[in-house]
Amino acid sequence: LAQGERQQTQRDIGREKRRKIEECLYACKKGDVATVQSLLTDGVDVNAQLYQPQVPFDNQESTFLHWSTKHAEMIELLLNRG
């Protein structure tokens, strides 16, 4: 691949990785255990953090565990995976 094509491929990989992390964050918030299990099996890092300036946490680099606080089954899944 030419340099420009490699850079575009890296950007595409970065966008796809971010999309999967965001999908996992929102699935954690909803308590959607099946989606989170699928994404983790698909390679999403259970310890991933995503900087989100719009999130009203003191620590804006929130983890899946931050978003799962109302779902005991989700918390158990995440702790067992990471």
Side-chain angles (χ1 to χ4, degrees):
L1 294 174
Q3 172 111 11
E5 291 173 323
R6 276 195 300 273
Q7 288 173 339
Q8 181 62 43
T9 300
Q10 289 293 67
R11 282 193 294 270
D12 290 345
I13 291 169
R15 278 192 284 269
E16 179 64 13
K17 182 177 179 180
R18 182 179 176 89
R19 184 196 64 75
K20 286 184 176 185
I21 291 171
E22 287 175 344
E23 184 179 353
C24 198
L25 282 170
Y26 290 107
C28 285
K29 184 176 182 180
K30 293 187 310 187
D32 186 348
V33 173
T35 296
V36 172
Q37 283 179 320
S38 175
L39 288 163
L40 294 176
T41 299
D42 195 33
V44 172
D45 180 2
V46 72
N47 297 307
Q49 292 184 346
L50 187 63
Y51 178 70
Q52 301 183 113
Q54 75 276 12
V55 174
F57 292 126
D58 289 337
N59 178 0
Q60 294 173 329
E61 291 185 11
S62 52
T63 65
F64 301 139
L65 202 53
H66 286 117
W67 286 65
S68 301
T69 57
K70 295 180 181 179
H71 306 286
E73 185 179 0
M74 186 70 68
I75 291 170
E76 185 177 341
L77 167 68
L78 295 171
L79 291 175
N80 287 334
R81 293 290 295 260

